Amino acid sequence: MKFDRRGMLAGFGALPLASVAAKAFTQEPITVFEGNFVTMEPSLPEARFVAVSGGMILGLADSVNALAPWTANRETKIDRRFAGKTVFPGLVDPHIHPMQAAVMLNIPFIAPDDWVLPRGNSAGVRTADGYRERLRALLASDASRPLITWGYHALFHGALDRAMLDQLAPDRPLIVWQRSFHEVIVNSAMLREWGLNDEAAFNAALAAAKADPAHFSFAHGLFSETALPLALAKMRPVILAPAKVKAGMADLRTLMLRHGVTSTADMATGIFAGFDVEAGLIRNAFETSECAARIDLVPMANELDKVSDLDAWHAAARGRVEGKHVRLPRRVKLFADGAYFGQNMRMNPPGYADGHLGKWITEPTDLNRQVRRYWEAGFSLHIHVNGDEGLDVVLNTLEPVITGLRSARQTVTLEHLGYSTEAQNRRISGLGLSVSGQPNYIRVLGDAYAAHGLGPDRAATMDRFGSLERHGVSLGLHSDFNMAPIDPFYLAWVAANRITLDGHSLGPQERLSVGKALRAITIEAAQVIGRDHEIGSIAAGKRADFAVLDRDPRKMGAAALRQTKVEATVYDGRVFNV
């Protein structure tokens, strides 16, 4: 019998939680919840009563008496507060960056789309004049130094560069974060504070950071893709101030609770300050008795590339960061091409209408090395990829590597998948890959990219999720906050309707069915992060995570999905009011 080291290593991440739960739940009292439970389990799709103990589901039935094998001779409480209410599994957002969220929730938004946030709402603005008016008003009302704002997009807000920012703020440091997160534009006052106010110093610093010369511009005050980490390092004392991080993390947990999200994954732990620092900050925020969510940490390959002994690193890091809410599975994040919101994705011919090229975050030869290293070390792979040229590189890299010995626990998930072709989706299905998709591309960018860059046909078929459904590909829908709101029913609504900001319906053949859209925020979202054996549906042995809803979204039709509201969240059997 051949020893499957990769399978053994890939399975280690789930063992402690499962074994502890199995020993502990039989010793605790039982609560039987009543409600109209929608299980997302095809063999038992509905139930009226669910028995819970120690945070685990013991059993489901349509009467209390039928649960007697569990409740007889045990301390049992019947909880009827959700009687008559639709109760879904706890929702899963499989791709959030907690540190990014903590930073962004302290920053004023001026974006093309509307935002509902814990500290106030932000109306979308989609004209150049409107953007500049909002930015001037912000400069007048907000005394922050530097002033940082997020949401700018040239196709909505017009051209913007260092000289234009200098006109608006000649003496005050100003940073404009592009809608993609992947680039910032700064004014001269900011460059002076950073010690980068002459071109030689600017170029030398970015060369030392090994940034691609195509990713930065002194004249424009631009730091993009591989140049962004240098800007983030300069911004760190401001954006990662302890009080701001604490407040931002609290806002993140509020958003997750408000929208019934009980499980998520950080799909790039370390992007701001390195893995150890960020893992510690996330642990501080999530390992509290008032937290109603769990989170998996997924480190970046470019940070682990510096580690010689991956087994020792993983074991030691698990010992430092894991707890009741935080886990470190054997998974790693890789990056292929650039941001979709910045038109930095790599596109096959005919490319972009204006002739520009997309950007590689990781050059294909380096990506090939990373895929082989981490797959052979037993890691499941999460690969950021957006354009069809980027996807060709990823699929061609994966195919010879993953088609050999493969553990059932070792998986590959394509993250975002902004534009793919029908032929590529067939390959995704044939290779047994999963997709964690970003539906907000079609909502925010469909009309703009039809007019600029992609043309009407390719813009209408971005987020080709209906095709993935037809090919039987497991699909989760993610927010990647703040690329989209932390609101799974909004994400499901976008994917099932494909309606743009201007009200146009694009690519109706690529709509998800309502059933698939709901699976993509529950059981299949759990599957893409390798947790479908314990979350994502309501079944015996799984965690007692529920989202109590104001309606049954299965019965309201696709158009009404985003109207679904969460009235309460249950995490590990504990009820949290929204």
Side-chain angles (χ1 to χ4, degrees), residues 94-97 265-269 296 298 333 335 382 415 529:
H95 185 137
I96 292 177
H97 301 288
D266 178 4
M267 277 296 155
T269 310
D296 286 357
V298 181
K333 176 73 176 293
F335 295 84
H382 293 264
E415 300 287 339
I529 57 173

Side-chain angles (χ1 to χ4, degrees), residues 458-523:
R458 287 185 298 167
T461 52
M462 67 174 76
D463 288 336
R464 203 185 289 257
F465 298 157
S467 167
L468 295 177
E469 179 178 3
R470 292 188 290 273
H471 287 296
V473 175
S474 297
L475 173 67
L477 298 176
H478 66 243
S479 69
D480 189 19
F481 185 84
N482 48 336
M483 299 305 100
I486 297 174
D487 182 351
F489 286 110
Y490 166 83
L491 301 177
W493 172 81
V494 174
N497 292 277
R498 298 177 63 86
I499 297 172
T500 68
L501 291 178
D502 290 333
H504 300 130
S505 176
L506 298 184
Q509 293 81 4
E510 294 303 331
R511 294 171 180 158
L512 289 184
S513 68
V514 170
K516 180 72 168 182
L518 295 175
R519 292 195 300 277
I521 59 174
T522 53
I523 187 60

Side-chain angles (χ1 to χ4, degrees), residues 254-563:
T254 295
L255 287 172
M256 294 175 69
L257 178 65
R258 182 183 293 173
H259 295 289
V261 176
T262 55
S263 297
T264 189
D266 178 4
M267 277 296 155
T269 310
I271 196 167
F272 285 94
F275 179 86
D276 288 337
V277 170
E278 292 191 16
L281 292 171
I282 293 167
R283 180 180 169 84
N284 288 343
F286 277 77
E287 288 293 342
T288 75
S289 61
E290 297 309 309
C291 181
R294 64 183 60 81
I295 183 168
D296 286 357
L297 306 183
V298 181
M300 296 181 293
N302 60 3
E303 186 167 357
L304 291 190
D305 282 349
K306 305 166 189 173
V307 174
S308 58
D309 188 336
L310 292 172
D311 294 346
W313 177 89
H314 188 245
R318 288 188 69 193
R320 290 193 305 272
V321 307
E322 286 195 338
K324 292 182 178 179
H325 298 265
V326 179
R327 298 177 290 188
L328 179 61
R330 203 173 178 92
R331 293 177 173 268
V332 65
K333 176 73 176 293
L334 298 86
F335 295 84
D337 57 340
Y340 205 87
F341 270 104
Q343 282 200 357
N344 289 334
M345 64 280 193
R346 297 285 304 205
M347 297 297 295
N348 279 327
Y352 292 100
D354 64 1
H356 85 272
L357 295 176
K359 300 173 182 178
W360 294 110
I361 299 176
T362 306
E363 290 292 333
T365 53
D366 291 330
L367 183 67
N368 186 295
R369 173 186 54 78
Q370 288 177 338
V371 165
R372 289 184 177 277
R373 183 191 190 210
Y374 295 105
W375 186 257
E376 290 173 1
F379 282 77
S380 289
L381 310 180
H382 293 264
I383 306 177
H384 163 118
V385 59
N386 271 314
D388 58 346
E389 183 191 5
L391 182 56
D392 271 344
V393 167
V394 168
L395 296 177
N396 291 340
T397 299
L398 285 170
E399 190 164 13
V401 176
I402 69 172
T403 50
L405 180 65
R406 182 173 182 177
S407 163
R409 287 195 180 276
Q410 199 175 6
T411 60
V412 179
T413 300
L414 305 178
E415 300 287 339
H416 308 315
L417 200 68
Y419 184 80
S420 62
T421 67
E422 185 68 21
Q424 289 173 325
N425 284 358
R426 285 193 290 270
R427 289 187 72 189
I428 290 169
S429 176
L431 288 170
L433 310 182
S434 297
V435 171
S436 180
Q438 173 52 269
N440 216 28
Y441 293 151
I442 190 69
R443 170 74 171 159
V444 179
L445 302 173
D447 291 328
Y449 283 16
H452 304 279
L454 297 186
D457 50 340
R458 287 185 298 167
T461 52
M462 67 174 76
D463 288 336
R464 203 185 289 257
F465 298 157
S467 167
L468 295 177
E469 179 178 3
R470 292 188 290 273
H471 287 296
V473 175
S474 297
L475 173 67
L477 298 176
H478 66 243
S479 69
D480 189 19
F481 185 84
N482 48 336
M483 299 305 100
I486 297 174
D487 182 351
F489 286 110
Y490 166 83
L491 301 177
W493 172 81
V494 174
N497 292 277
R498 298 177 63 86
I499 297 172
T500 68
L501 291 178
D502 290 333
H504 300 130
S505 176
L506 298 184
Q509 293 81 4
E510 294 303 331
R511 294 171 180 158
L512 289 184
S513 68
V514 170
K516 180 72 168 182
L518 295 175
R519 292 195 300 277
I521 59 174
T522 53
I523 187 60
E524 292 191 28
Q527 187 174 348
V528 303
I529 57 173
R531 293 295 181 186
D532 53 309
H533 59 292
E534 57 182 337
I535 60 172
S537 65
I538 301 173
K542 288 195 167 187
R543 308 312 300 168
D545 299 343
F546 313 130
V548 183
L549 310 180
D550 69 341
R551 67 195 70 203
D552 188 341
R554 301 173 303 168
K555 300 175 181 178
M556 304 303 295
L561 281 173
R562 69 170 170 174
Q563 297 171 17

Side-chain angles (χ1 to χ4, degrees), residues 30-108:
I30 294 174
T31 298
V32 176
F33 289 100
E34 181 180 2
N36 297 331
F37 287 90
V38 179
T39 69
M40 307 307 291
E41 289 279 335
S43 60
L44 188 64
E46 296 179 347
R48 184 177 171 189
F49 296 95
V50 175
V52 172
S53 181
M56 177 180 285
I57 297 169
L58 303 183
L60 298 77
D62 286 325
S63 71
V64 173
N65 289 340
L67 292 170
W70 290 108
T71 59
N73 303 315
R74 295 276 299 276
E75 181 183 344
T76 301
K77 176 179 70 175
I78 311 297
D79 190 327
R80 301 185 185 275
R81 76 183 91 176
F82 306 135
K85 293 289 185 181
T86 297
V87 185
F88 258 51
L91 305 180
V92 181
D93 188 329
H95 185 137
I96 292 177
H97 301 288
M99 289 302 300
Q100 179 178 325
V103 168
M104 292 296 176
L105 287 166
N106 286 293
I107 291 174

